[in-house]
Each structure stands twice: as C-alpha cells, then as structure tokens.
C-alpha cells in the first residue's frame, strides 16, 4: 500500500464513524463549488473615496509611502520626483503591463525604463497592482508573462502603480474579480503585499528591508 | 524522532532559569507580542466572531480531511505540480533528497518551516552533501549557532544582539574582523548582503506552508521578510513541505484564517507577504520555478485525529499560546526539548513522539487558561493538557513519590472526621513551629517548594472550623 493510501485510509477510518466518504465528498465539493461567504469586517464597507483614503492610511501605518496622481500621463514625472527624493538613480526595471506600455516615457528623458525580470543589480522594480485592499492597506499582485514576480522582491525599492478603480474594501472582492476575469484559473502566484520587508528577529525590534524591498512606494492613479 | 531532550525537561528548566542571557531575552515577549496582539485584537471589532468562524472552518475541514486532500491533489496536478505523500519523517526526507538529487542540487535555500525542523531535514541534506541555507533571519541565526528554534514564529527570540554579532563574526570570516556590529542595522545589512548571493545561486528552494487550499491546489506562505518569496521564485525547483492538517477548503476560508493569524501572532493587521502559489512557471512566464512539488506529511497526525486530541489539528501555528504562557515566559522554548514548545507543544509533542518521551510536558502548566483565551481557533488547550495528565497517571508514568503521597492523602481524605481532626491538629503544631515569622524557609521533603520561596505557616483555624462557627 502506498503512503498516500495509508494516510487517506487512516483519516477515513477515523472519520467514517461520523458518516460515509461519499457524503463527505459531496459536502466538500459543494463548499468548493459555491464557497460560503464568511464574515467580512465592517471596517472597509465604506464609499469608494473613503476606501482609497483608508487604503493609504493603513499602507502608511506599515511604512509604505503613497502618492496620488490624476492619470497615467503624470506617472513618469511622479516617478522621477520620487526617485530623486530617495537619492536613487533614475532607472527602473519594469513590468510590461499594458498600462505602463501605453505611457509616453519620452517626456522624462533622464528616466530609463528597462523591462523584464529583476536581477541582482536592479535597484528599483516597477509593477502594476491587480488590486488594493482598504481593510489593511494590502496590495494584490499576480504573476503573468508581463508581470515577473522577481520585480516585487529582488530590488531594494518597489514602486507599485494602483489604479483607483482597483481599490476594494476587502480581500474577498479581489478573489471574486480574479475568478471572474480568469475563469477561475488561479495565477501561478498571487502576492498580498502589506508594507516593505521587515523583521523582528533581533530582540523583537522591528527593522525594515531584510530580504525583500526596503521601500514600498504606491502611486494611486485616479483616472485610468 | 529528531534530537529530543523532552524527557529531561526538569534539568532543562533548571538550566534555563539560571541562564541570565535567556532570561533577559525572554523579557521582550510581554512588551512585544503580547501587547501588540492586544492592540490588534481590539482594533478589529469582529475579532472574536472571526475566531469562532476560524474554529468552525478548521473543525469542518478536519471532519472532511481525506476528501479535501484528494481534491487538493487533483488541483495541484491540474496546474502542473507534483504531490508526494510521506507517512513519516524518513519518507519525507527521502522524497526531498530525491528531488534535490534529480535537480543536481548543491545548495538548497530554505524558508522557515517547522515541519522541516520536525523531520530534521537540514542534518539529512548535509549528510548527503547538499548544503541547506536558512534564509529567515531568525532561522539563519540559530543555524549559525547550531541550535533549534525556541519559538515557532520567532526562532531566535532567546538570542541577544550581542550573541548575533558574535555568530556573524565567527561565520562571515571574509569580512573585516574589527568591523562594528553594535547597531542592529549593521547586523541587518550584513545578513541581507550575505544571503543575497545564496538566494541566486540555490538550485532548490524549500519552504513550509501555512495553508493548502483544496479549491485551487494552492500552497500559502505567510512571511514578513520576503525570504520565502526569494526562496521559492529564484531556484529552478520549489518544494513546499506541509503536514496534512494545513488543508483548508476555499479561498474565502483561508482569508478568514489569515484575518486572525497575523493579529494573534505578531499583532500585525496582516503580515508583509502572503503568497499563494499554484503550480510551476507557466509557459510564457519569465521567472518562477520550473518544477513545483508539495510534500504532505503525516508523522503521527492521523493518530491524533483518531484519538482524544483531534482538536489540536486546528492549530495554525501563530504562537500566541507561547507568548501568553507563564511557563514558556519563564523557561523559554528549548527547555521543552523538541520542536514545538509552550502549551501547543505540550499537547502536540506527546501526540507525535509518544508519552514515554514527553510525559513531563503536559505537567509544565499552571492551567491558568490564558492560552485558550488567546487561541485564534479556540483550542481547549488546558482541557487537552489535563487529558494527557490523566493518561500519564493511568500509564503509570507518574513518579513513585507523587503516587505514594496521593495514596496516603486519599486514605485520610476518605474519612472526613479523621481528616478534619488531623488537619486541625497539624495546623496548630505547624503554626507553633513557625513561631512569630509566620513562614518556613525550609521543610523536609518539600524542598521543591521551599528552595525558591518561603512556605507560609497556617494562621488560626481551618476553613471548615470557621464555617461551622459562623453558621451557628
């Protein structure tokens, strides 16, 4: 007997007293087919504009910085301003998200934008969020050919563009959108990102930037 | 089983209490985790209700565990991943080694995994000429020091920053020996720099899993450092190591559990990185592992499911019960002798290793109930500890002095008149011996008490006598 069969057999033997396996299977399949809505906290069930503000407040509480611009045309200038304020070179490794591809980057000639996966030498990663969750100031990003995951973790500075319309109150709304838009095909990786990398492993003092980004900068775009 | 000293609990405790550095390090728990959990739980008005739901989700899942695991496996395979089943630690280690050898691995980076500790994977890989590199800062520190974790979410909580500096100077010998490592920021930067190349060079990334989602065939890791993500994204092979009870039904269910996990663990609203991984790199992806494996471990858990301790399988490893336990706060994690310390460890360890090895652990509790009060999935830890104590007694694992004392006491207790007479007399005699001090500094056969504190002498009459008088 394989280990799989012996483990599942032992579980089954322990559970069979309460009911047959077929009954259990039917219950499990039903829960997966229509996932029950669990309790969603009231906190973020507020009008969209308040959700945006709440998103910013929570994100800033965990040491992210935020900015708000009118439309994507303002992005190159906002990015340049941020990079110089942090004394960072005017160079980003970027995702090829359609939103970024359609920007006229030539308006900031000093800014260099390269696309592809992040490498050790890249100092700034630029990505577009799938969603922002107001409840805790959490960004949701997911892997795709145009969105390499390394951009989110390898560079010391992570800049994320978040269209205002993608800010939701709760995580559940993002699962719904993901299922709807992708026909329930789960992306290879979904990243919830709440603030920059941190550790409390040395005497429980919080320190930022241990392995992932030291800085997380979120640019909210009103009109996309 | 791996390197346990649980049977020497009593001598471990003596050492821990006398260890000044440990006692200094343990002080940070109350001002850190405990205070932060309190704030976070109060900031979310539905927190208590969410705990009820979290408990119910786990209870439902455990009652359907086999079918959810089967559905999970189908969905992992549908996304191109592989599922391996390991009945015990030997099988888990062999599976991991084989995957590493097929990938021709020289180094393996590791995210924090308590199951990895449970099966002793690092030692096993080393023996087989593969270098395991812990990348969680706390795990890295204790790997350098050759220790086991002393806390399930803060493995190096027993280590002072001076000891970290010492370990770094000893290991990072390429760097200037007279460099300053006094500031914690120096330590952070050095660790970041040292581990950067390791992430990039590694052939295999081994992580744990906080949850496995049946609906989507997804493994979930929750971290703050981002080391888990670099570990599983950069190498060509990702292995996720999980035990059977990590399974949850749906994305909605895992979301509810995540709402209580970080708040209970570190007092964060949400950990920095929660990562949901489903299968290997897709066809047009530019990064991510080419192979994705999940190892599902039993190692004694099906026995817990069949017995009186199935509620323990609800545990989501937040560490709140450790942080709030007066015993853990006094002796730290290493005294418990194995991988899982504190109240959850005192229930789990006898279940996984057997009562012969771990019979002391369920006794190491005042049953104050704080652990149950803070458990996000409401595991009745004190009741489970008492259940183990019953078994220790029944299985004749209690020492002869206790047994003899109890028998002697029972002989009188069964005869109330004689008992009251003797107790009343004893009180008078004892009070006389104590004299004006009102306490004893030492009493024969009671050094267990009087070595560390005075024993108060009885005052006046017995409770029973007073009761009688006042009801006249």
């Amino acid at each position: 007997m394989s280990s799989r069969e012996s483990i599942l057999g032992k579980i089954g033997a322990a559970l069979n007293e309460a009911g047959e396996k077929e009954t259990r299977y039917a219950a499990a399949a039903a829960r997966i087919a229509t996932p029950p809505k669990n309790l969603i906290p009231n906190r973020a069930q507020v009008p969209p504009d308040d959700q945006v503000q709440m998103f910013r407040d929570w994100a800033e509480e965990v040491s992210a910085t935020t900015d708000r611009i009118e439309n994507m045309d303002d992005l190159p200038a906002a990015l340049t301003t941020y990079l110089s304020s942090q004394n960072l070179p005017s160079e980003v490794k970027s995702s090829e998200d359609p939103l970024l591809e359609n920007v006229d980057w030539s308006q900031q000639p000093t800014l260099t934008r390269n696309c592809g996966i992040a490498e050790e030498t890249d100092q700034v990663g630029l990505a577009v969020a799938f969603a922002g969750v107001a409840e805790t100031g959490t960004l949701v990003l997911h892997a795709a050919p145009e969105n390499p995951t390394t951009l989110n973790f390898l560079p010391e500075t992570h800049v994320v563009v978040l269209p205002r319309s993608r800010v939701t109150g709760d995580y559940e709304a993002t699962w719904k959108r993901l299922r709807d838009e992708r026909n329930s095909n789960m992306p290879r990786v979904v990243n919830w990102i709440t603030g920059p990398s941190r550790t409390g492993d040395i005497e429980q003092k919080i320190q930022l930037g241990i392995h992932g980004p030291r800085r997380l900068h979120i640019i909210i775009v009103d009109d996309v | 089983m791996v390197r346990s000293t649980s049977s020497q609990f009593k001598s471990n405790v003596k050492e821990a209490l006398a260890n000044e550095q440990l006692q200094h390090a343990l002080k940070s728990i109350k001002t850190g985790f405990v205070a932060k959990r309190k704030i976070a739980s109060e900031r979310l008005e539905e927190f208590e209700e969410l705990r009820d739901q979290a408990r119910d989700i786990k209870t439902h899942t455990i009652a359907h565990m086999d079918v959810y695991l089967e559905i999970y496996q189908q969905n992992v395979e549908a996304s191109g991943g592989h599922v391996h089943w390991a009945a015990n630690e030997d099988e888990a280690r062999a599976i991991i080694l084989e995957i590493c050898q097929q990938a021709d691995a020289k180094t393996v980076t590791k995210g924090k995994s308590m199951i990895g500790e449970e099966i002793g994977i690092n030692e096993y890989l080393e023996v087989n000429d593969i270098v395991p590199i812990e990348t969680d800062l706390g795990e890295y520190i204790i790997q350098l020091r050759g220790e086991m974790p002393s806390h399930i979410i803060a493995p190096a909580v027993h280590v002072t920053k001076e000891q970290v500096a010492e370990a770094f100077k000893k290991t990072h010998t390429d760097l200037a020996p007279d460099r300053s490592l006094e500031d914690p920021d120096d330590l952070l930067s050095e660790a970041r720099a040292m581990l950067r190349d390791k992430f990039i060079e590694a052939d295999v990334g081994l992580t744990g899993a906080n949850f496995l989602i049946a609906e989507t065939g997804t493994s979930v890791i929750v971290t703050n450092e981002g080391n888990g993500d670099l570990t599983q994204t950069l190498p060509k092979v990702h292995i996720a190591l999980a035990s059977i009870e990590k399974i949850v039904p749906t994305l909605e269910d895992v979301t509810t559990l995540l709402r209580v996990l970080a708040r209970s663990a570190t007092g964060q609203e949400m950990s920095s990185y929660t990562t949901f991984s489903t299968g290997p790199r897709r066809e047009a992806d530019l990064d991510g592992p080419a192979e994705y494996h999940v190892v599902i471990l039993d190692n004694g858990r099906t026995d817990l499911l069949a017995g009186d301790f199935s509620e323990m399988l609800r545990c989501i490893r937040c560490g709140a019960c450790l942080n709030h336990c007066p015993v853990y706060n006094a002796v730290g994690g290493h005294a418990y002798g194995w991988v899982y310390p504190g109240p959850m460890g005192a229930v789990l360890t006898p279940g996984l290793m057997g009562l012969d090895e771990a019979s002391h652990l369920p006794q190491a509790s005042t049953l104050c109930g704080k652990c149950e009060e803070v458990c996000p999935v409401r595991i009745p830890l004190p009741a489970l500890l008492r259940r183990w104590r019953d078994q220790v007694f029944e299985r004749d694992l209690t020492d002869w002095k206790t047994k003899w004392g109890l028998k002697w006491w029972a002989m009188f207790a069964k005869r109330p008149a004689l008992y009251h007479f003797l107790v009343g007399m004893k009180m008078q005699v004892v009070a006389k011996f104590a004299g004006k001090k009102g306490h004893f500094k030492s009493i024969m056969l009671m050094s267990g008490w009087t070595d560390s504190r005075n024993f108060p002498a009885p005052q006046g009459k017995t409770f029973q006598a007073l009761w009688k008088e006042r009801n006249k």
Side-chain angles (χ1 to χ4, degrees):
Chain A
M1 189 163 51
S2 74
S3 295
R4 177 184 189 275
E5 281 154 15
S6 86
I7 293 169
L8 291 173
K10 280 175 89 175
I11 300 172
L15 299 177
N16 275 339
E17 284 172 33
E20 299 269 303
K21 190 172 179 186
E22 287 76 42
T23 324
R24 281 203 300 281
Y25 192 87
R31 192 178 181 100
I32 284 172
T34 343
K37 280 208 165 64
N38 300 323
L39 174 70
I40 294 174
N42 270 324
R43 177 193 280 179
Q45 307 307 307
V46 293
D49 269 348
D50 295 349
Q51 285 178 343
V52 173
Q53 190 55 46
M54 187 183 291
F55 174 86
R56 293 183 75 169
D57 291 344
W58 281 115
E60 285 171 9
E61 189 177 291
V62 290
S63 309
T65 51
T66 69
D67 190 5
R68 196 162 170 174
I69 59 177
E70 250 177 61
N71 54 49
M72 290 300 285
D73 293 339
D74 297 340
L75 182 63
L79 191 56
T80 308
T81 309
Y82 171 72
L83 295 176
S84 72
S85 77
Q86 300 297 315
N87 290 322
L88 289 165
S90 211
E91 190 177 335
V92 297
K93 186 57 90 62
S94 168
S95 103
E96 290 178 276
D97 190 284
L99 279 183
L100 298 175
E101 293 294 289
N102 293 331
V103 168
D104 175 17
W105 294 95
S106 65
Q107 51 168 297
Q108 289 288 329
T110 56
L111 180 66
T112 312
R113 173 178 174 256
N114 298 310
C115 293
I117 62 167
E119 281 154 303
E120 215 182 345
T121 46
D122 293 322
Q123 293 199 46
V124 183
L126 177 65
V128 177
F130 172 78
V133 181
E135 192 179 327
T136 48
T138 299
L139 290 167
V140 181
L141 292 95
H142 69 74
E146 68 277 14
N147 287 321
T149 307
T150 40
L151 289 175
N152 306 337
F153 293 99
L154 212 45
E156 284 207 355
T157 302
H158 191 202
V159 181
V160 181
V161 174
L162 171 64
R164 195 188 76 151
S165 57
R166 297 186 188 176
V167 175
T168 65
D170 46 81
Y171 317 106
E172 281 81 350
T174 71
W175 291 134
K176 184 180 180 313
R177 230 187 89 207
L178 205 59
R179 284 192 187 110
D180 290 350
E181 287 182 16
R182 299 176 54 93
N183 194 21
S184 292
N185 175 17
M186 191 74 173
R188 182 182 68 76
V189 164
V190 175
N191 293 119
W192 285 6
I193 298 180
T194 314
S197 160
R198 67 186 56 221
T199 182
D201 277 343
I202 300 176
E203 297 191 349
Q204 285 210 48
K205 305 276 185 318
I206 300 301
Q207 297 177 273
L208 298 183
I210 170 65
H211 294 305
R214 287 177 193 262
R215 299 172 206 85
L216 172 63
H217 184 63
I218 305 165
I219 302 176
I220 298 167
V221 189
D222 276 335
D223 209 3
V224 175
Chain B
M1 287 285 178
V2 184
R3 313 150 293 165
S4 158
T5 65
S6 296
S7 61
Q8 303 147 39
F9 180 72
K10 287 183 178 177
S11 60
N12 291 349
V13 163
K14 252 183 209 152
E15 273 173 40
L17 290 172
N19 182 338
E20 277 175 37
Q21 268 170 328
L22 172 68
Q23 292 301 323
H24 171 76
L26 285 170
K27 276 187 195 142
S28 64
I29 291 178
K30 267 195 193 112
T31 48
F33 291 140
V34 170
K36 287 179 186 167
R37 179 204 171 271
K38 185 165 185 294
I39 294 169
S41 63
E42 286 167 0
R43 276 173 109 179
L44 189 67
E45 55 177 297
E46 299 90 347
F47 187 66
E48 295 305 314
E49 266 179 274
L50 285 165
R51 286 175 63 194
D52 291 339
Q53 283 204 348
R55 172 200 58 205
D56 295 346
I57 288 166
K58 288 298 267 188
T59 303
H60 165 86
T61 313
I62 291 165
H64 298 77
M65 194 190 270
D66 52 349
V67 292
Y68 280 125
L69 283 169
E70 285 179 24
I71 295 170
Y72 169 76
Q73 179 174 20
Q74 285 162 15
N75 286 325
V76 174
E77 287 167 357
S79 66
H82 304 276
V83 175
H84 310 263
W85 300 76
N88 52 45
E89 56 183 43
D90 290 338
E91 288 185 13
R93 289 192 295 240
I95 291 164
I96 293 168
L97 180 64
E98 199 188 326
I99 298 169
C100 291
Q101 285 174 338
Q102 280 187 359
D104 208 8
K106 290 178 186 60
T107 63
V108 173
T109 41
K110 286 188 65 210
K112 205 176 93 59
S113 161
M114 292 311 293
I115 313 270
E117 299 288 342
E118 188 178 320
I119 67 170
I121 190 62
N122 286 2
E123 294 78 352
Y124 188 74
L125 290 175
E126 275 168 11
V127 167
N128 288 283
D129 297 325
I130 295 171
V131 181
I133 299 152
E134 294 287 355
T135 62
D136 171 86
L137 179 59
E139 288 282 349
Y140 180 65
I141 291 167
I142 61 167
Q143 188 183 28
L144 298 187
R145 287 166 54 86
E147 290 178 309
M148 273 208 281
S150 71
H151 190 293
I152 60 172
I153 67 156
V157 73
H158 61 285
V159 184
T160 61
K161 67 174 195 293
E162 290 76 19
Q163 291 173 314
V164 178
E166 198 186 310
F168 281 11
K169 288 212 168 156
K170 214 167 144 191
T171 315
H172 306 155
T173 45
D174 289 352
L175 302 174
D178 55 349
R179 69 193 182 281
S180 165
L181 288 176
E182 271 170 41
D183 192 332
D185 285 341
D186 300 333
L187 297 169
L188 182 94
S189 299
E190 185 163 315
R192 184 179 172 108
M194 294 309 291
L195 284 164
R196 207 99 287 239
D197 293 338
K198 311 280 185 196
F199 282 122
I200 290 164
E201 285 161 12
D203 307 293
V204 173
L206 178 61
T207 68
N210 292 78
F211 303 101
L212 306 174
I213 308 171
E215 177 193 353
T216 49
T218 300
S219 59
V220 183
I221 58 169
V222 179
T223 75
N224 280 311
E225 300 187 357
N227 65 309
D229 291 280
L230 291 172
T231 297
Q232 67 170 56
T233 307
L234 296 172
K236 54 184 183 281
V237 178
H238 173 205
I239 306 173
L241 179 54
S243 48
I244 54 171
E245 81 280 15
K246 303 288 182 208
I247 189 81
V248 290
T250 67
L251 292 167
E252 276 74 6
D253 292 329
V254 81
T255 301
T256 299
L257 292 163
L258 286 166
R259 280 198 180 94
V260 295
L261 174 60
R263 290 183 172 95
S264 301
T266 54
Q268 287 171 282
E269 293 285 323
M270 188 55 68
S271 302
S272 301
Y273 303 113
T274 303
T275 301
F276 304 79
S277 306
T278 313
R281 176 193 290 225
R282 306 278 161 89
E283 206 180 312
D285 280 356
L286 301 179
D287 58 15
E291 284 178 41
Y292 172 80
H293 299 265
V294 184
V295 180
I296 300 180
L297 176 73
D298 177 356
N299 213 25
R301 287 164 176 81
T302 46
D303 297 331
L304 287 176
L305 181 69
D308 294 333
F309 297 91
S310 64
E311 286 167 299
M312 195 58 220
L313 297 176
R314 292 209 295 266
C315 177
I316 56 173
R317 306 287 191 270
C318 70
C321 63
L322 280 61
N323 300 335
H324 290 77
C325 176
V327 177
Y328 178 89
N329 272 276
V331 302
H334 287 157
Y336 291 80
W338 195 52
V339 179
Y340 303 104
M344 59 76 66
V347 175
L348 194 60
T349 307
L352 301 186
M353 310 194 67
L355 213 44
D356 291 341
E357 178 66 27
S359 67
H360 290 305
L361 303 188
Q363 317 289 343
S365 166
T366 63
L367 299 181
C368 72
K370 197 72 194 167
C371 48
E372 183 175 1
E373 228 172 86
V374 297
C375 175
V377 286
R378 301 197 191 280
I379 299 172
L381 288 156
L384 298 181
L385 287 167
R386 273 197 297 270
R387 220 165 275 172
W388 277 128
R389 289 183 184 185
D390 291 346
Q391 291 199 12
V392 169
F393 194 77
E394 276 165 27
R395 286 186 51 186
D396 223 23
L397 292 167
T398 311
D399 75 290
W400 66 270
K401 275 189 281 183
T402 314
K403 284 204 151 164
W404 183 80
L406 282 171
K407 265 193 190 146
W408 190 244
W409 176 81
M411 199 172 89
F412 294 105
K414 284 179 194 157
R415 297 169 178 79
L418 177 66
Y419 185 82
H420 293 315
F421 172 72
L422 285 173
V423 169
M425 214 169 72
K426 191 179 109 196
M427 273 183 59
Q428 285 177 11
V429 174
V430 172
K432 204 165 249 173
F433 268 103
K436 281 184 189 157
K437 288 182 305 210
H439 64 255
F440 295 91
K441 282 207 167 128
S442 69
I443 302 176
M444 218 171 59
L445 298 177
M446 279 187 61
S447 58
W449 178 288
T450 53
D451 275 357
S452 49
R453 53 230 188 275
N454 293 334
F455 185 83
Q459 312 263 322
K461 296 174 179 169
T462 65
F463 175 79
Q464 297 271 1
L466 287 171
W467 184 262
K468 251 187 202 164
E469 262 179 37
R470 296 198 181 172
N471 280 308
K472 262 181 191 163

